[in-house]
């Protein structure tokens, strides 16, 4: 491997690095109690708990007010530093503004923005006021935004002038509950106010929050195979797991420079882009710009990043950019590197070893689990290709669902569904307005993840795939139904089926199969038009990258599109059990 020439000299300084936060896995598990993890928090009078208080005010009250909470790197070269004390004051202003606007307990506040400091202020201020913070992915087009704003019943949205004009303004009529829109960089637009002007007018102090551990705090939309996106609801108690995993898995400690590259519109960008690092007293590095290998290496070096949390797609893009881009950089401050969101190829782990002198540590979790559940730890051997072992306090297993609604535990090397023994502090408490879907996630006291996996005799878990049809593209979870619904709105489309197909960089890309209405004929022009149509509605991150015309789509007897079969045909795989297929005899022939 090219990188082996880069044997890093700085690793000889490894003895200067602090000891790992988790030293002995077995004894950490054996001696673990959630009550002890809970007792590490500052808490509020009368048993109250608040995520923002733990993340920011606690640090200020314990004398770390002058420490940096954020180093913000703007797209155009700007660099801004914000201390914990400043962040506490700014989030107080936002909480005061919410309260004076009549928003409080349980009200949803959404953000549609990239990586900007205002996002942090909104998240923390909302939590302080007892509101529920809900981030939206800024690369979404108007359709997914409308669906999520409507389902969340958001009363307030913080966004930018450009995103507002392009994606939200025209929807206002469909969103009667959305009372107020604040723009981080404007205010003259119809129906919107200036974030900064309004905050300026608020006091920067306020009494401690009055939230309880089981009060709703965070709402994250995620996708299933069918239906509208699911709103996974988390409570303030989740911060117990955020802080714990930040320490035990990401090895964070006060004063660390920490960079999480995730988009704030997804769960990682909140749990590990904001809460876990701040609750551990670290300094966030936040880069507004999109991926650029040279820029990233320069940031790691210049900002002396100690802990880095990224995604396999980014790792593969760095690998693609070549070892030359990394050469001549000093990554001596880097102590721990981890990734999440999709399978991390063993090559990525080994490449990191050559270029950085240390491996990437794979971690596994989901929107629903709220925090890291399975991980490779800094002090433990990394098994390239394995997601690692369960967090202390977490019991993970491979199970098979029984027809009677129960679940049977399977042994080593047997493939089944990855399950976690309920409950733990950051387990989601509901799918908003979807009680039945929530209940389907549980059987015999297990939370069932929908992932297929195995574990070996040493307790390391290995990812196999999804048991449903959701697509992971560049680490983003996309529901095929949402993409199909957008295509169906085009007048030429009779039926659409959407699947993920393997891609060497993005993991999977989205591919659509479309059957046209009788008076429309396939053409290259129509293909481009349909892709463009989907991009306008869904946004480039969600729209299909490829589109094929077909005469009709394989369906079950009850009329559901068999995406599994589309995928098998596309990839030349065995089709599996087709007994429920409509016209099964022909298909099997
Ligand atoms: C945090 C996050 C969850 C799904 C999950 C699984 C996939 C996450 C993974 C992984 C293989 C890993 N996933 N981590 N697959 N190896 N280390 O990504 O949440 O967006 O809800 O996605 O992502 O399929 O079920 P979310």
């Amino acid at each position: 491997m090219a990188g082996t020439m880069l044997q890093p000299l700085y690793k000889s300084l490894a003895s200067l690095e602090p000891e790992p936060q988790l030293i002995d896995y077995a004894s950490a598990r054996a001696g673990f109690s959630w009550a002890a993890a809970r007792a590490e928090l500052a808490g509020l009078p009368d048993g109250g708990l608040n995520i923002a208080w733990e993340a920011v005010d606690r640090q200020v009250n314990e004398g770390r007010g002058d420490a940096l909470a954020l180093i913000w790197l703007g797209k155009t070269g700007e660099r801004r530093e914000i201390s914990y004390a400043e962040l506490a004051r700014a989030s107080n202003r936002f909480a005061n503004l919410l309260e004076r606007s009549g928003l409080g307990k349980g009200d949803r506040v959404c953000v549609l923005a990239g990586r900007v400091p205002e996002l942090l202020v909104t998240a923390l201020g909302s939590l302080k006021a007892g509101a529920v913070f809900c981030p939206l992915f800024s690369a979404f087009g108007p359709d997914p935004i409308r669906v999520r704003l409507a389902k969340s019943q958001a009363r307030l949205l913080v966004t930018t002038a450009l995103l507002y004009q392009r994606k939200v303004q025209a929807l206002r009529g469909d969103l009667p509950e959305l009372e107020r829109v604040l723009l981080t960089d404007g205010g003259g637009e119809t129906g919107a106010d200036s974030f900064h002007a309004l905050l300026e007018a608020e006091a920067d102090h306020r009494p401690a929050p009055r939230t309880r551990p089981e009060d709703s705090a965070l709402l994250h939309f995620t996708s299933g195979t069918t239906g509208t996106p699911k709103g996974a609801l988390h409570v303030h108690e989740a911060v117990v797991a955020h802080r714990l995993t930040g320490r035990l898995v990401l090895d964070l400690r006060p004063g660390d420079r920490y960079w999480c590259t995730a988009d704030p519109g997804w769960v990682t960008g909140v749990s590990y882009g904001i809460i876990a690092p701040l609750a551990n007293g670290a300094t966030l590095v936040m880069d507004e710009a999109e991926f650029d290998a040279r820029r990233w290496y320069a940031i790691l070096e210049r900002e002396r990043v100690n802990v880095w949390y990224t995604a396999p797609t980014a790792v593969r893009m760095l690998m693609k950019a070549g070892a030359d881009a990394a050469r001549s950089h000093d990554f001596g401050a880097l102590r721990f590197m981890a990734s999440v969101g999709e399978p991390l190829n063993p090559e990525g782990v080994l490449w990191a070893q050559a270029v950085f002198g240390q491996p990437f540590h794979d971690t596994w979790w989901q929107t629903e689990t709220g925090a890291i559940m399975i991980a490779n730890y800094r002090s433990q051997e990394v098994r390239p290709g394995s997601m690692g072992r369960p967090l202390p306090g977490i019991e993970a297993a491979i199970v098979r669902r029984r027809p009677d609604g129960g679940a049977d535990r399977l042994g080593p090397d047997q493939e089944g569904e990855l399950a976690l023994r309920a409950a733990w502090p950051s387990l989601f408490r509901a799918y908003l307005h979807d009680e039945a879907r929530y209940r389907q996630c549980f059987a015999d006291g297990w939370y069932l993840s929908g992932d297929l996996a195995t574990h070996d005799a040493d307790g390391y878990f290995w990812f196999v795939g999804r048991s449903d049809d959701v697509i992971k593209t560049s680490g983003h979870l996309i529901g095929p139904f949402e993409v199909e619904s957008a295509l169906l709105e085009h007048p030429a489309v009779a039926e659409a089926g959407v699947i993920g197909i393997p891609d060497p960089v993005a993991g999977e890309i989205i591919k659509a199969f479309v059957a046209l209405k009788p008076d429309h004929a396939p053409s290259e022009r129509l293909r481009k038009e349909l892709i463009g149509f989907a991009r306008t509605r869904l946004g480039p991150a969600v729209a299909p990258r490829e589109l094929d015309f077909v005469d009709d789509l394989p369906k079950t007897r009850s009329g559901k599109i068999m995406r599994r079969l589309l995928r098998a045909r596309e990839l030349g795989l065995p089709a599996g059990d087709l007994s429920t297929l409509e016209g099964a005899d022909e298909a099997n022939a």
Side-chain angles (χ1 to χ4, degrees), residues 503-583:
D503 179 82
V505 176
E508 287 186 302
I509 57 164
I510 301 173
K511 173 154 191 172
F513 294 85
V514 166
L516 295 173
K517 288 186 181 156
D519 45 344
H520 294 271
S523 70
E524 187 51 27
R525 202 168 130 216
L526 184 55
R527 206 179 62 80
K528 289 209 174 103
E529 181 181 321
L530 290 178
I531 290 180
F533 179 83
R535 283 177 74 94
T536 314
R537 288 176 175 246
L538 298 166
V542 187
R545 196 96 70 81
E546 292 185 14
L547 188 147
D548 279 1
F549 293 110
V550 290
D551 290 336
D552 56 40
L553 289 162
K555 288 191 276 308
T556 62
R557 291 197 184 95
S558 60
K560 283 191 207 144
I561 291 166
M562 292 191 84
R563 302 188 189 88
R564 243 182 338 123
L565 182 56
L566 280 175
R567 209 174 129 84
R569 284 181 184 164
E570 173 72 17
L571 305 177
L573 301 171
D577 177 16
L578 301 179
S579 56
T580 59
L581 184 72
E582 181 190 48

Side-chain angles (χ1 to χ4, degrees), residues 164-205:
Y164 182 64
Q165 285 155 13
R166 285 202 187 150
K167 304 183 179 185
V168 181
Q169 202 161 16
L171 307 173
R172 285 299 286 273
D174 300 337
L175 300 166
E177 274 137 332
L178 184 59
E179 294 159 28
R180 227 162 171 191
V181 177
L182 309 187
L183 304 179
T184 58
D185 56 351
E189 288 74 9
T190 331
D193 298 307
S194 157
F195 179 94
H196 289 284
L198 286 173
L199 255 63
E200 197 69 17
E202 295 296 333
D204 63 5
H205 48 86

Side-chain angles (χ1 to χ4, degrees), residues 451-472:
D451 278 8
L452 300 174
T454 62
H455 67 73
D456 58 28
D458 302 328
Y460 283 77
F461 282 76
W462 303 76
F463 182 78
V464 173
R466 286 287 307 182
S467 67
D468 57 14
D469 293 336
V470 295
I471 301 160
K472 261 276 163 143

Side-chain angles (χ1 to χ4, degrees), residues 268 341-343 362-367 387 451 463 466 472:
T268 308
E342 8 151 17
D362 195 9
T363 68
W364 177 92
W365 59 290
Q366 302 180 303
T367 302
M387 306 188 289
D451 278 8
F463 182 78
R466 286 287 307 182
K472 261 276 163 143

Side-chain angles (χ1 to χ4, degrees), residues 221-223 266-268 309 312 339-344 362-369 374 386-387 449-451 463-466 470 472 475-477:
F221 281 101
T222 183
S223 294
W266 301 88
V267 72
T268 308
Y309 199 26
S339 95
V340 66
E342 8 151 17
L344 175 65
D362 195 9
T363 68
W364 177 92
W365 59 290
Q366 302 180 303
T367 302
E368 287 84 349
T369 72
I374 295 179
S386 163
M387 306 188 289
S449 69
D451 278 8
F463 182 78
V464 173
R466 286 287 307 182
V470 295
K472 261 276 163 143
H476 302 140
L477 194 72

